[in-house]
Amino acid sequence: MSERVVQHLEGMTDEIIERLRAYVACASVSADPAFAAGMASAREFLMNRFAKVGLENLQLLDGGGHPAIYGDWLHAPGKPTLLVYGHYDVQPPDPLDQWQTPPFELTRKGDRLYGRGASDNKGSSTIAIESLAAFLAVEGEFPLNLKVLFEGEEEIGAPSLPKIFDQSGDLLKADLVLSADGGRMGFWPALNVGCRGIIKLELTLETSARDLHSGRYGGTTHNALQDMARLLASLHDNEGRILVEGMLDPSILPTSAQRAEVAELGLDEDAFFATFDGMAHGDPAYTAHERLVLLPTVEINGIWGGYTGPGSKTIIPSAAHAKITARLVSGQDPDAIAQAIKRHLEAACPKGARLVVKTYGGGAPAYTLPKDNPLLIAADRILRRETGKAPVRVRHGGTLPVTSIFREKLGADTLMFGFGLPADGVHAPNESYAIESIREGLRCWPMLISEIGAIVAEEKPAAGASPRAAAGA
Amino acid sequence: MSERVVQHLEGMTDEIIERLRAYVACASVSADPAFAAGMASAREFLMNRFAKVGLENLQLLDGGGHPAIYGDWLHAPGKPTLLVYGHYDVQPPDPLDQWQTPPFELTRKGDRLYGRGASDNKGSSTIAIESLAAFLAVEGEFPLNLKVLFEGEEEIGAPSLPKIFDQSGDLLKADLVLSADGGRMGFWPALNVGCRGIIKLELTLETSARDLHSGRYGGTTHNALQDMARLLASLHDNEGRILVEGMLDPSILPTSAQRAEVAELGLDEDAFFATFDGMAHGDPAYTAHERLVLLPTVEINGIWGGYTGPGSKTIIPSAAHAKITARLVSGQDPDAIAQAIKRHLEAACPKGARLVVKTYGGGAPAYTLPKDNPLLIAADRILRRETGKAPVRVRHGGTLPVTSIFREKLGADTLMFGFGLPADGVHAPNESYAIESIREGLRCWPMLISEIGAIVAEEKPAAGASPRAAAGA
């Protein structure tokens, strides 16, 4: 029955892009309190859209941080419940001077749309919202119960989402989770079956009580920036192998089966590196694609310290700062790895420097979707039908902390069904989204909803499926 | 005859501090164009003061950057000419949040005055200006011809001062230079007889065309900040020895005579490091004081790159930046050392990173005052008379690029006669000046002018001494 929905959507691309423009205009940067108004306007935009779609029971769920938005359609008694997930927050637009168009004005150039969030996640979640709207408009109903949860803290590690589940666990109860977040590697047919975890650390190094004149003190004492450079350089060897003890335990190294799966995807490394004018770096015993999805990382996200203004200031800086994130693979515990990095840094800290390492923003373990997940089976079927080929299973190098939270709090697994591409440049200046990605998404999402409806119709009703009661209505 | 001048000044401390307050209130940061108004107000302040002192022929000398201020008193025909040097520009006040009092409001706490420039150089040059004013007021004349030159680019390496000399060489002609700039190590009696040179470098490292998502790319490619950390860490070994080839040539290493001179000063290292809560770092084969005045340095003054705002931004930064200065000792050519550091960085640059190293702000070689310089002899005499001890000769770890320029352009050597102390924290937040330094300076400057007058009276007139003609009046 999804054909009619897809046809309904086919002529609507321009109209949908206009709505995406209004959504991108909400400058919803969760990391920076200066963007509170943009966060509020993004919530208002979604509340209005969800109401137009025909969702009910709309409400904000406040866990003490940026509230999440909830809505539902629970008119399929006895059927399982599908939770559709997205996030309305975006990464900071910095560095502003590198944007060629205003970050919060969606700008079309050729076959792409430019703006912060154009891809991650406003573009991909627009596909989800429009698909739901068209489905209900054309079919009058969904083939199973449906809930939406759009959070506002994905880009900062979803710190208050667990609390939202603790407060509203019954309301959010679901059997399956379909995520509008998560990208694809650029090849069809492929299905995301897992992602890496993450931890975040902030380092402060202090070597003196105040900045010192580099002439009157230079040569006698520690320079916080020099010490920070040594400290950060100690994390990797020359080829980019991680040197943190306990981070490359043999138990987490890729199996030959995993490596074969990745090899099957046949990433064109030259083309991959050409998209960002970069070069391969990392353990040469593995391919770039293996390093991307099967191995952990330690990346420096930011460093600051000393004088960074125009001209010179001849000082020995007293303090240096750095932000670090590490991506984790299956079998790595976020807390244990954070401790391992902390131990490494403390051991490598030059004597005479005072180091503080703090974790922040919440960690998340890596995630793997079980092979028998109904959404995975449904997605496999529609991609075979669409492309005539068996989709390959791919893991994702990024992190969707919510997948772990959904498994822990709902006991439900998550299919990532986002349509971002590597060329989108998410998190960077000039983020963009291919208009073709919108078109593809608007075909696949209705088909997937239809297909999961068919699958659940074949199966026994989910245990305790009483959606009205679950919704607390 | 200086006793009357000293007496005249003794009751004026409060009044002089009020004038210093007005001078500090001129936010004259030469490095940052945003402070242009503060630079102009500092020039206006000085023009008014020099006019009050009784100097003539006042004018701005414009070399294309921040103009210098000139004035003279040329009523000692046949006598040599003394050029008094100071600078009206100050270091940037960053980091602003570390100031306990507003940087441009001179604030008295206990026996110290706090504010940017309170010591360097507005405090020490206030001593010079007030001494000249009192001398002329009490004595009605100077014992030799006198010129003042206060520049506005000392803190940025005096880039246009050579041009000012090229344009106004005759006007500036002088036999002796007395500098109100330069500090002392905190012990009397001691005389500054030299300083280190300086070069300034800025590094830009680029590893990709744009910032990359640390999940979608992490593990595959270069991180500009990781590469920058490796690059900067390569400049020194663990103990702080410089690893740049050509920077520690045996010909520039301290002689045993130089080391003995420094040892004679008996710096209390524990007390020295306690003033800034720091620890010794550097080649342990030398004492901290030796490293400070007899050895070169390479110091990182600032690093920036990636995301440095609140929360996290999970990127692999594409670019990293650093500012470096190196202090030079006798026998080191600024251009040659800049090239040596550049070669080292280029050789150490990780393959896959694109490095640009540029020198800026002008370099200056180290400087040594000849032992028979009349100002040095005069200062030696007054210090012996005041303290009953033979003053020791000390070298200064900082850089006064003007000393090299004066030697090159005027053929004249410079006695540094500033009264700053290590505890002043110049260039750092909460810079301060001891009120006792003002009192000591106001005794020593008039005595020195008097003494140099006595010395030149004993000597034959300087060659070609025709001050009016020299002034172009």
Side-chain angles (χ1 to χ4, degrees):
Chain A
M1 60 188 176
S2 60
E3 290 79 4
R4 285 178 304 176
V5 181
V6 171
Q7 277 164 25
H8 175 83
L9 282 164
E10 262 165 10
M12 289 175 65
T13 314
D14 288 348
E15 181 186 326
I16 288 169
I17 288 172
E18 280 316 298
R19 281 197 285 270
L20 176 56
R21 185 185 317 282
Y23 193 16
V24 166
C26 309
S28 48
V29 178
S30 51
D32 188 345
F35 288 89
M39 292 295 287
S41 65
R43 284 190 293 272
E44 194 184 359
F45 174 89
L46 283 182
M47 289 294 252
N48 286 333
R49 283 301 298 151
F50 289 150
K52 282 264 171 58
V53 167
L55 299 182
E56 300 159 342
N57 203 17
L58 293 176
Q59 56 194 282
L60 293 180
L61 304 181
D62 191 344
H66 300 296
I69 296 160
Y70 172 88
D72 61 33
W73 183 95
L74 303 175
H75 304 291
K79 292 279 170 63
T81 300
L82 174 70
L83 179 70
V84 171
Y85 166 82
H87 64 88
Y88 66 86
D89 62 324
V90 298
Q91 284 276 318
D94 319 53
L96 282 171
D97 59 354
Q98 289 181 27
W99 282 84
Q100 283 157 19
T101 60
F104 299 109
E105 285 178 28
L106 192 75
T107 306
R108 180 170 180 162
K109 289 201 283 185
D111 54 4
R112 285 198 160 261
L113 302 168
Y114 290 80
R116 170 58 82 229
S119 173
D120 178 16
N121 170 246
K122 290 174 175 172
S124 284
S125 55
T126 287
I127 291 170
I129 298 165
E130 297 293 341
S131 296
L132 296 183
F135 210 106
L136 212 49
V138 172
E139 303 293 339
E141 61 173 12
F142 291 115
L144 73 181
N145 297 294
L146 195 132
K147 297 177 177 180
V148 299
L149 178 69
F150 273 51
E151 66 152 330
E153 298 187 333
E154 199 278 336
E155 301 294 2
I156 55 172
S160 66
L161 196 58
K163 192 161 176 208
I164 287 173
F165 273 98
D166 293 342
Q167 290 170 346
S168 311
D170 283 342
L171 184 68
L172 292 167
K173 202 172 276 184
D175 304 288
L176 302 161
V177 181
L178 183 57
S179 169
D181 202 17
R184 45 189 182 140
M185 284 300 288
F187 23 69
W188 280 120
L191 279 169
N192 289 322
V193 294
C195 63
R196 291 191 289 191
I198 195 168
I199 50 171
K200 299 175 184 176
L201 300 167
E202 193 163 319
L203 280 57
T204 303
L205 198 68
E206 217 184 81
T207 50
S208 58
R210 55 183 167 86
D211 290 348
L212 302 170
H213 187 292
S214 75
R216 297 183 190 193
Y217 296 86
T220 65
T221 192
H222 286 265
N223 176 314
L225 295 177
Q226 261 163 245
D227 285 354
M228 180 61 96
R230 298 196 83 73
L231 194 59
L232 296 176
S234 78
L235 291 165
H236 299 84
D237 70 10
N238 265 329
E239 296 189 291
R241 283 184 202 86
I242 296 171
L243 297 177
V244 177
E245 204 180 315
M247 264 203 85
L248 292 172
D249 188 89
S251 68
I252 64 106
L253 294 181
T255 63
S256 44
Q258 287 175 313
R259 299 183 71 171
E261 245 177 28
V262 169
E264 199 188 336
L265 299 172
L267 174 71
D268 179 343
E269 291 206 6
D270 288 344
F272 175 77
F273 289 114
T275 60
F276 55 87
D277 196 16
M279 269 180 69
H281 190 61
D283 189 343
Y286 297 94
T287 65
H289 199 172
E290 286 171 341
R291 295 197 302 270
L292 178 61
V293 298
L294 299 177
L295 286 173
T297 69
V298 181
E299 297 280 3
I300 309 167
N301 310 120
I303 304 183
W304 67 105
Y307 182 67
T308 60
S312 70
K313 185 159 181 257
T314 51
I315 50 166
I316 303 172
S318 62
H321 307 269
K323 286 176 193 271
I324 287 180
T325 48
R327 300 281 170 175
L328 312 180
V329 296
S330 291
Q332 292 188 309
D333 173 62
D335 289 339
I337 299 299
Q339 285 308 314
I341 295 176
K342 202 175 165 188
R343 273 195 305 275
H344 172 96
L345 292 169
E346 284 168 352
C349 179
K351 194 165 169 283
R354 300 177 278 275
L355 173 68
V356 176
V357 180
K358 60 168 192 159
T359 56
Y360 72 103
Y367 180 77
T368 301
L369 185 67
K371 287 190 198 311
D372 62 353
N373 179 274
L375 282 169
L376 184 60
I377 294 166
D380 185 273
R381 284 187 195 166
I382 66 158
L383 288 178
R384 274 174 204 267
R385 204 184 300 147
E386 277 288 293
T387 66
K389 293 183 205 159
V392 287
R393 266 65 174 154
V394 300
R395 295 187 61 84
H396 186 283
T399 304
L400 302 169
V402 294
T403 53
S404 304
I405 296 174
F406 292 146
R407 182 180 275 171
E408 182 194 335
K409 301 289 184 181
L410 299 176
D413 284 297
T414 304
L415 177 71
M416 293 168 276
F417 210 55
F419 281 73
L421 289 167
D424 294 357
V426 301
H427 292 204
N430 307 305
E431 175 180 349
S432 67
Y433 204 49
I435 292 169
E436 188 52 31
S437 291
I438 298 179
R439 294 214 176 88
E440 286 184 354
L442 292 174
R443 290 181 60 77
C444 291
W445 268 73
M447 288 193 286
L448 185 68
I449 293 165
S450 198
E451 191 65 41
I452 189 67
I455 288 175
V456 301
E458 299 159 12
E459 291 177 353
K460 63 177 193 315
S466 171
R468 263 294 143 211
Chain B
M1 61 188 173
S2 60
E3 290 78 4
R4 283 180 303 173
V5 181
V6 170
Q7 276 163 27
H8 175 82
L9 282 163
E10 262 163 12
M12 289 176 63
T13 313
D14 288 348
E15 181 186 328
I16 288 169
I17 288 172
E18 281 316 300
R19 281 196 286 269
L20 176 57
R21 186 185 316 281
Y23 193 15
V24 165
C26 310
S28 47
V29 178
S30 50
D32 188 344
F35 287 89
M39 292 295 288
S41 66
R43 285 191 292 272
E44 194 184 359
F45 174 89
L46 283 182
M47 289 294 251
N48 286 333
R49 282 301 299 150
F50 289 149
K52 282 265 172 57
V53 167
L55 300 182
E56 300 159 341
N57 201 16
L58 292 175
Q59 57 194 283
L60 293 180
L61 304 182
D62 191 344
H66 300 296
I69 296 161
Y70 172 88
D72 61 32
W73 184 94
L74 303 176
H75 304 291
K79 292 279 170 62
T81 300
L82 173 70
L83 180 70
V84 171
Y85 166 82
H87 64 89
Y88 66 86
D89 63 325
V90 297
Q91 284 276 317
D94 318 54
L96 282 171
D97 60 354
Q98 288 181 27
W99 281 85
Q100 282 157 20
T101 60
F104 299 109
E105 285 177 29
L106 192 76
T107 307
R108 180 170 181 164
K109 289 202 283 185
D111 53 4
R112 287 199 159 259
L113 303 168
Y114 290 81
R116 170 58 83 229
S119 174
D120 177 18
N121 173 245
K122 290 174 176 173
S124 284
S125 56
T126 287
I127 290 170
I129 298 165
E130 297 293 341
S131 295
L132 297 183
F135 210 105
L136 213 48
V138 172
E139 302 293 340
E141 62 173 11
F142 292 116
L144 74 180
N145 296 293
L146 196 131
K147 297 178 177 179
V148 299
L149 179 69
F150 272 52
E151 67 152 329
E153 299 187 331
E154 198 277 338
E155 300 294 2
I156 55 172
S160 66
L161 196 59
K163 192 162 178 209
I164 288 173
F165 273 97
D166 292 342
Q167 289 169 347
S168 311
D170 282 343
L171 184 69
L172 293 167
K173 203 172 274 183
D175 305 287
L176 302 160
V177 183
L178 183 58
S179 168
D181 200 17
R184 45 188 182 140
M185 284 299 288
F187 23 69
W188 280 120
L191 279 169
N192 288 323
V193 294
C195 63
R196 291 190 289 190
I198 195 168
I199 50 171
K200 299 175 185 177
L201 300 167
E202 193 162 319
L203 279 61
T204 302
L205 197 69
E206 217 185 79
T207 50
S208 58
R210 55 182 166 86
D211 291 347
L212 302 170
H213 187 292
S214 75
R216 298 182 191 195
Y217 295 86
T220 66
T221 191
H222 286 266
N223 176 314
L225 295 178
Q226 261 164 244
D227 285 354
M228 180 62 95
R230 298 196 83 71
L231 193 61
L232 295 176
S234 78
L235 291 165
H236 300 84
D237 69 11
N238 265 329
E239 296 189 291
R241 284 183 201 86
I242 296 171
L243 296 177
V244 177
E245 205 180 315
M247 265 203 86
L248 291 172
D249 189 88
S251 69
I252 64 104
L253 293 181
T255 63
S256 44
Q258 286 175 312
R259 298 184 71 173
E261 245 176 29
V262 169
E264 198 187 336
L265 299 172
L267 174 70
D268 178 342
E269 292 207 5
D270 288 344
F272 174 77
F273 289 115
T275 61
F276 56 87
D277 195 15
M279 269 181 70
H281 190 60
D283 189 343
Y286 297 94
T287 66
H289 200 175
E290 287 171 341
R291 295 197 302 271
L292 178 61
V293 299
L294 299 177
L295 286 172
T297 69
V298 181
E299 296 280 2
I300 308 168
N301 310 121
I303 304 183
W304 67 106
Y307 182 68
T308 60
S312 69
K313 186 158 180 257
T314 51
I315 50 166
I316 303 172
S318 62
H321 308 269
K323 287 176 192 271
I324 287 179
T325 48
R327 300 282 169 174
L328 313 180
V329 295
S330 291
Q332 293 189 306
D333 173 60
D335 290 339
I337 298 298
Q339 285 307 314
I341 295 177
K342 202 175 165 188
R343 273 195 305 273
H344 172 97
L345 292 169
E346 284 168 352
C349 180
K351 194 163 170 282
R354 301 177 277 276
L355 173 67
V356 177
V357 181
K358 60 168 193 158
T359 55
Y360 72 103
Y367 180 77
T368 302
L369 185 66
K371 288 190 196 312
D372 62 353
N373 179 274
L375 281 169
L376 184 60
I377 294 167
D380 185 274
R381 284 188 196 168
I382 65 156
L383 288 178
R384 275 174 203 268
R385 203 182 303 147
E386 277 288 294
T387 67
K389 293 182 204 162
V392 287
R393 266 67 172 151
V394 300
R395 295 187 62 85
H396 187 283
T399 305
L400 302 169
V402 294
T403 52
S404 303
I405 297 174
F406 292 147
R407 181 180 276 172
E408 182 194 336
K409 301 290 183 181
L410 298 176
D413 283 298
T414 304
L415 177 71
M416 293 168 275
F417 209 55
F419 282 72
L421 289 168
D424 293 357
V426 302
H427 292 203
N430 307 306
E431 175 180 349
S432 67
Y433 204 48
I435 293 170
E436 188 54 30
S437 291
I438 298 178
R439 293 216 175 87
E440 287 184 352
L442 292 175
R443 292 180 59 78
C444 292
W445 268 74
M447 289 194 284
L448 185 67
I449 293 165
S450 200
E451 191 65 40
I452 189 67
I455 289 175
V456 301
E458 300 159 12
E459 292 177 353
K460 62 179 194 313
S466 171
R468 265 294 145 213

